[in-house]
Amino acid sequence: MADQKIAAYVCQGCGLGERLDTKALAQIAKTDGKAHLIREHEFLCNADGVATIQKDIDEGVTHIAIAACSRRSKTEAFYFPTVAMSRANLREGVIWVRPEGDEHQETTQEMAQDYVRMACAEAKKLVQPMGNTDVACDATVLVVGGGITGMTAALEASKTGYKVILVEKAAQLGGWAGKLWKRVPFKEPFADPADTGVEAMITAIAADGNIKVYLNATIAKTDGAPGRFMIDIATESGSVAQEHVGSIVQASGFTLYDMNKLPELGGGKSPHVVDQAGLEALAKAANGGAIKRADGSAVNTVVFVQCAGQRDDTGKHLSYCSGTCCNTSIKQAMYFKDQNPDVDTVVIFDDLRTPGNGEDFYRSAQKKGVTFTKGKVSSVEANGSGLKVVFNDLILGDQNATIENADLVVLATGQVPNSGVNIDPSKLEEETESVAEFKQISILNLSYRQGPDVPQLKQGFVDSHFICFPYESRRTGIYPAGPVRRPMDIAQATEDATGATMKAIQAIENAAVGRAAHPRSGDLSFPIVRIEGCTQCKRCTVECPFGAIDEDEKRYPVFNESRCRRCGTCMGACPVRVISFENYSVDSVGSQIKAVDMPDEFQEKPRILILACENDAYPALDMAGMNHNNYSAYVRIIPVRCLGSVNLIWVTDALNSGYDGVMMMGCKHGDNYQCHFVKGSEIASQRLSKVDETLKSLNLEPERVQNFEVAITDIERVPQLINDYAAKIQEIGMSPFKF
Amino acid sequence: MSDLNTQAVAKYRNNFLKEVEACVEEGDWVKMCMQCGVCSGSCPFGPHWDHPPQELFMMIRAGKREEVLTSSSMWMCTSCYNCIVRCPREIPITHIMHGLANYAHRLGLAPKNQPTRHFSGLFWNNIIKTGRVNELKLSLGLYFRDGLVSGIKVGMAMASVGIGMVLAKRLNPIELIKPHGCKDTKGIHAMLKKAREIEDRRKGLTAA
Amino acid sequence: MATKEYAFYPGCSSQPGASASNYLTSVNSMCKTLDIKLTEIPDWNCCGASIGYAEGGELPRHAMNARNLAMAERELPGQKVVATCAACWLSARETKERLDHNSTMRADANEALKEAGLEYQGKAEVMHMVEVLIEDFGYDELKKHVVKPLEGIKFAGYVGCQTNRPFGIDGESFENPVYLDKLVETMGGEAVAYDQKVTCCGGALAFSEPEKSQKQIKDIVESAYDHGAEMIVTPCPLCQANVEIYQGAVNKRYGTKFNIPVLYYSQLMTLAYGGSAKEAGLDGHIIKAPKLEAFAAKK
Ligand code: SF4
Ligand code: SF4
Ligand code: SF4
Ligand code: SF4
Ligand code: SF4
Ligand code: SF4
C-alpha cells in the first residue's frame, strides 16, 4: 500500500541492550525490514518511550513494529488502537532462553535479527480492524424451557433491564421442580427437605413486564445470528409467532432415564417399583400425610436403589453419574421418616455422592434413622403383595443379601439431557439406542448449515469448553444452562442459569459492536472472503467449529460475523486461500516465514519453524523464558490463533524455502480436549496427516514436520521438546532446499 | 441364654440397631457411620479382626445381633484411638468397641475363652478390691487362667521378664502379702455399687 | 519464678515397687529443678485404664475417675490435676469431658460419688506432665536449666498412642507429633526421624494377645534401630514397659538381637539438669543404658 508508513522501535531495556547488538538490529529494520522510521530506546515501555511512539503516530506513522518483550507483556503501555502493530519477542523469546557467553553470541544475535525482520514483515501486512459496525441488534433474550433454570434466567435477564421471551412446551411453568413435593435443602443447616419455591417464581414472572411467556409452545425455527436471531414459535393453536431476539439461553432440561429398560430391577413390572418422579407424585398425592402405594396400601418398608441404569460399564445404560440422585433419595427417604419414624427406609448405594452441602443432608438422614447399606442390587421381584430385593452386600461380602418384604422400591435412574438432535454422525454410533432416542426431536431447529441443534459431547450433553469457558457452547450466542449442559440439581441449575444469562447479555452487547466472544474476546476482526476466488469446496462451512458459515443458493459460503469466534480454522482450511482477517492472514504469517534469513547448507545452522498456539503453547514458551529455561537458537517461533488456522501452504512454503523442520504446537484434542476453539487442533492434526504425501513428493523425511500437544503448564517440557527436536534435525541433516 | 439376653431380645425384637443405641456406650453413633473403611484400615490388629469396626457397624445395621455379640473382634481393640482421630465422621469408635464388648460380656454372649475378656475381668476385680492395681497378682492371675499346669508353663516362659522386673525393683513380691491400696475402700465399693445400679437401670440391664 | 503447685495423680504403675516406679523418681528430680511442687491427691484410686471396660462398664469407670477429680477439687482447690501416666491422664480427661458435656452422666456420677461422700464440680483442669512442661513452662524455659546437654546421643522419640490420641499435646498433628523430638533437642540430644513414632505397642493387650503385640513392638524397635537411634524415649509407662521388657521375647520369636534402652523424657531431663543416675532412676531398667550411666557419672 502506498500510504503505509512503518516505524520500528528497538528497546534496550531489560538487559536487551547488554545482551544484543541493538544498533545492528536497528540497521536490520532499515535494510531488511524496510521501515521508514527506526528508533532505539533505552526503556521503551516507560512514559517517554510510549510518548515517543504516540508522537510518531500523531505525525503519520501507520504501522509499528516493536522489538522488545513478548506481545503478551506491556500490553497496556503499548496500546495504540489506531495503528497496526507487530511485536518482535526479543526478551522472553531470545535473551531469556539463551545462555550468556561469547560462544553463544552469534546465534543469539541472529535469532534477534530474524525476529526483527519478521516483525517488520508482519506489520506491513496488517490492517487495524475497526469492527463490523452495520449490525442490527435486538436486545431481547430468548429462554427456551420454563423450569427452574429457564425461570431463573428470565428473571435475571429482566432484572438487568433486558426483555425476555420465555418458551415452555408444557401447559405451565415449573419443569421438573414443579413436579416435586419438596426440594433438597439449599440453606443452613441443610437438614430437612425444603419448599421448591416454584410457585413464587411463577408469580414473579407473571408480574414481570419484561418477560413474555409462551406456554404449550416450541421453537419451530431459529434463524440468523447473535444480535439478529429470528425465532418461529409454534403454539398449541397451530399458529406460528415470530420474535426477534439477540441471544438464546437453552434451558431444555432433562428427562429421567426410562426405568422400563431395567426389568431386572422391577422397572415397568410392578406398580410398586417407581422412579424418583413416581415417588414425588406419590408424595404430592399424600400432601404431607403418610405416603401410600399406588394401590392405597401403607408403606412400612421402602428401599431406594441407587445408580439404577447409571454408572454402567456394560454399555447398556448410562455410563455416567448424574450426581443428583443420591441427594434426591436421601430427601425422599426423609419424606417417610419425617412423617413416621417407624417406616424402614433403606438406601442401597455403591458410592453415596452428595456434592455441595449434601454431606450435611446425608448426616441428617442418618440421624433420622435412614439406613444406608453399601451394595449393588441384583434383582427386585414381586413377593406376595410386596417386593423382594436381592443385593450384593459390599461390606459384608454377602452376594445374596435380601430384603424380603419391601412395600415400595424407588429406582434412582438419573438425568438424560434434552439436547435435541445429535448433529455429529460420528458420535451417534458410539451411543446406545436407548440414550439416543430421547434426542430425536430438535430443540432449537436452527437453520444453520451444520445442523439444527448445538453440538454435543459423547453422552449427549452439549459441548462447551469445560475448563475455560463453560457457558460458551459451540454456537455463539446460544447458552445452554442447567441439566442440558451437565447433570445438576436445582441449586446448581440456579447458579448455572445466572451465569448463562450474563453470557447471553454479553453476546448481545458484543454483537452490537462486532466484538468476538471467548477466547478472543474483544477482537474486532472477522473473516473476509474474496468470494470471486472461491471454488465452493465447502471446507470452511464444514470445518468451522462454531457453525458460523452458511451457504447461499449457489453454494457459496455466507459468513455470519457475530457467530464467528475468530479462530481462523476457515482460513486454514481454504485451499485457494481466499479467507483472511485484517490483522491475521495467510500473507501476514507467510511473509514472516519468508523474512527469516536462511543460512546456506554449509553453515550447519538449521532453521526450525515453530507455529505455536497463542492460547497455551505461546504462553508456555514465554514462561519458559521467564524461568530462563534455555532452548535452541535455531528455532523461529510464530504465534497462531489456533492450529486450526494453520494453512498448509505455510508448511510447504517453509520447507521449500529451506527450513529444516516445522514444529506445530497446539492444545490437546480428542474427548478431553483443551483446544480453546474445540475442534481447531483436532482438524489441524487431521490435515497434517496429509502432509506426509507432500513430504514424500519433496523427497523429505517425515520427521521434518511434527505436531505436539502442549499445555500452558508445560514450562519445563516445552524447551525440552524443542531441544530434542533440534537434536533430531541435526541427526537427519540439513534440508536440501537451501538456496 | 442368660436372662438378660432373653429380656433384651424380647424388648427390641429384631431391631438390633435400636438395642445398641440404648444399651451400648456411644451406641447412638452407629447409624452415623458412612462406611468409608478408614477405621478398619487404621486399626493395629485390624488384620486379625473377624469383623473390623466398619463391618461391625454395618452388621449392627443389618440386624446381625448374634454374630456381633458373640464376635471376638471388638475384644481386639488396643485402645490406640487411631480410628477416632481419623474417622471423617468423628465417631467415637474406640468407645463403641469397648461398649460392645461390655454389653456382650454382660449378656453372657462374649466368647468364653477370649483372653482379653478374661484379662479385663481380672484387671477390674483387681482394682476394685483395693482401689489400685496390684500388678503381681494381676500377672499371676493371667498366667493361671487356664489352670495350674498351663499357668506354670506361661509363668516359666515369662519368668525372665518377671525376674528382671523384680531385680529392677519394678515388681514387688511383697505386694502379694501387703498390697498398696486406698484407705476408703468402703466408700469406693459403695460408689461402684451405686454406679453399676444406675447404669443397669438406664440400660435396662436389670433382671425383670 | 515462683513455685508452681499441682495436684498430682501418680497412678498405680508409679507406686513404689510398681512397674513405673523409676518414672516417678525421675519426675520428682526434674520437678525439683523446675521448682514444681506436686502434692499427691489424697487417697487417689486407679483410673480403670481402658482395659477395665468389659467388667467395669461405662459409669463405674467414670465414677472412679470422678472420685479422683472430686477429691482434688476438695482437698487441693485451685490446682490443676497433673498425671504422669498416659492412661491415667486419658481416662481422667475422658471422664471430665463426658461429665462436663453430658448432664445426665454428670448427675449419675454424682449420685454414685455421694456414696463416697464426694461431689464432682468440674473445676479442676486435667493435664499430662508433658503438657505442664510445654504449655506452662515452654521449651525456652526448660532449656534454661540445662547444665549438661545430651550432646551426640541419638534418641527415637516414641510417642505411641495415648498421650497423642485422641486429645493430643499442644494441638499437634496426630500423625506426626513433634513435641517429644523438641524436648529431646531442648535437652541437647539428637532426635532421629523414623516411621513408627505413633504406632501402637499393643497396650494392655500385650498381656492377653502377646503374639500380636510383640509384632507391633518389633516394628517399633526395628525402625528405631534402622534409623540410627541409640535409645528410645517415651512419655508413657505402658509404652515404656511393653517396648522394654518384651524385647527378649521378641528376640526369641523373631531371631532379632534387640537390646535398646527405653527411657522416659523425665530421665533425660533429670540428667541434662545435672542429676545423678540414681536421681534419674536409671537403675530401674531391665535393659540398662550404660552410655547414660557414664554420662551421668561425668562431671
Ligand atoms: S518491558 Fe519490554 S519494553 Fe519495557 S524495557 Fe523491558 S523489553 Fe523494553
Ligand atoms: S448421584 Fe448417586 S445414585 Fe446418582 S448416579 Fe451418582 S452415585 Fe448413583
Ligand atoms: S474464524 Fe473460526 S469461527 Fe470464524 S468462521 Fe472461521 S472457522 Fe468459523
Ligand atoms: S474453503 Fe475457501 S474455497 Fe472452500 S468454500 Fe470456503 S471460501 Fe470457498
Ligand atoms: S482404638 Fe481400637 S478399634 Fe480403634 S484403631 Fe485402635 S485398636 Fe482399632
Ligand atoms: S472411619 Fe468412621 S465413618 Fe469410616 S467406616 Fe469407620 S466408623 Fe465408619
Side-chain angles (χ1 to χ4, degrees), chain A residues 306-307 310-311 320-327 351-353 412:
Chain A
Q306 298 311 103
C307 309
Q310 305 192 66
R311 303 175 65 202
Y320 53 88
C321 162
S322 291
T324 60
C325 12
C326 280
N327 273 334
D351 300 294
L352 210 66
R353 297 186 173 172

Side-chain angles (χ1 to χ4, degrees), chain A residues 152-198:
Chain A
T152 306
L155 288 167
E156 292 288 330
S158 162
K159 264 190 239 164
T160 51
Y162 288 80
K163 296 243 179 261
V164 178
I165 309 287
L166 177 56
V167 177
E168 165 58 44
K169 70 173 186 301
Q172 71 286 322
L173 295 174
W176 167 252
K179 300 190 182 110
L180 304 181
W181 166 237
K182 300 256 163 154
R183 63 176 283 191
V184 170
F186 56 103
K187 281 199 261 220
E188 285 278 0
F190 305 100
D192 305 295
D195 192 73
T196 61
V198 166

Side-chain angles (χ1 to χ4, degrees), chain C residues 11 37 44 47-48 108 111 114 130 141 158 164-165 167 178 180-181 191 238 271:
Chain C
K37 185 172 168 228
W44 57 267
C47 68
D108 288 355
E111 196 183 334
K114 214 156 101 205
V130 177
E141 180 62 29
Y158 174 47
N164 179 27
R165 298 178 297 258
F167 298 118
V178 293
L180 196 52
D181 295 343
L238 195 56
L271 294 176

Side-chain angles (χ1 to χ4, degrees), chain A residues 696-738:
Chain A
K696 242 184 247 147
S697 72
L698 292 172
N699 230 340
L700 288 170
E701 297 78 359
E703 290 90 342
R704 297 231 186 246
V705 180
Q706 283 206 345
N707 196 11
F708 299 88
E709 282 185 352
V710 171
I712 198 160
T713 46
D714 284 342
I715 301 163
E716 307 280 329
R717 181 175 160 257
V718 108
Q720 195 55 47
L721 284 180
I722 291 177
N723 291 338
D724 292 350
Y725 188 73
K728 192 190 279 168
I729 292 297
Q730 294 275 19
E731 214 173 275
I732 311 175
M734 295 293 116
S735 158
F737 286 90
K738 294 184 193 277

Side-chain angles (χ1 to χ4, degrees), chain A residues 341-342 344 349 359 362-364 366-374 393 395-396 398, chain B residues 15 17-18 30-35 51 54-56 58-59 61-62 64 88-90:
Chain A
D342 286 334
D344 274 331
F349 67 97
E359 180 64 15
Y362 170 22
R363 228 182 303 236
S364 168
Q366 286 180 299
K367 277 198 197 109
K368 290 179 181 183
V370 178
T371 302
F372 291 88
T373 297
K374 189 172 166 75
D393 187 318
I395 299 296
L396 305 180
D398 183 355
Chain B
N15 199 332
L17 178 63
K18 280 226 170 79
V30 170
K31 60 174 179 276
M32 299 306 292
C33 165
M34 64 175 192
Q35 295 295 309
H51 309 292
Q54 171 201 18
E55 230 172 276
L56 284 174
M58 202 60 235
M59 289 164 76
R61 281 151 41 165
K64 300 189 185 291
R89 279 291 175 82
E90 301 181 330

